[in-house]
Amino acid sequence: MATKNFEERLERLEALGEKIRRTDIPLDDALAAFEEGIKLARTLEKDLSKIESRIELLMNSSEAKEDEKPELDLFNTQE
């Protein structure tokens, strides 16, 4: 199986989640989908951790002056 990009793996994980929620699939198929989903979730979590570390490194770079650092409101929940 060729390496898929992050978005493709996330879509696959979502599809597996939908499959598991169905009531008309055999238990063995649901279990196989669950196992694949767990593996995908772990790799996606590792990828997110690497991305987060890279962003931190870029934001805290000694080359970036304090007034030049971007402000990221990625997780701002206030509207």
Side-chain angles (χ1 to χ4, degrees):
M1 179 169 86
T3 303
K4 295 180 179 182
N5 68 31
F6 184 87
E7 290 80 10
E8 290 171 332
R9 288 181 287 142
L10 184 57
E11 286 177 16
R12 176 66 181 155
L13 181 59
E14 290 170 352
L16 289 167
E18 290 174 17
K19 182 177 184 176
I20 291 169
R21 286 185 205 91
R22 290 180 26 205
T23 58
D24 63 338
I25 63 169
L27 183 57
D28 287 341
D29 292 348
L31 181 58
F34 181 76
E35 287 180 290
E36 183 182 349
I38 291 294
K39 289 177 187 176
L40 273 173
R42 287 183 180 145
T43 61
L44 290 168
E45 186 176 27
K46 285 179 186 177
D47 287 351
L48 285 175
S49 182
K50 288 177 188 176
I51 291 167
E52 185 179 76
S53 295
R54 188 167 177 198
I55 289 171
E56 263 187 51
L57 182 66
L58 291 170
M59 300 252 328
N60 296 322
S61 169
S62 62
E63 296 174 9
K65 295 179 183 172
E66 190 62 38
D67 59 342
E68 293 177 352
K69 289 184 180 179
E71 290 187 28
L72 301 177
D73 288 331
L74 297 176
F75 302 105
N76 188 357
T77 57
Q78 298 175 353
E79 292 187 24

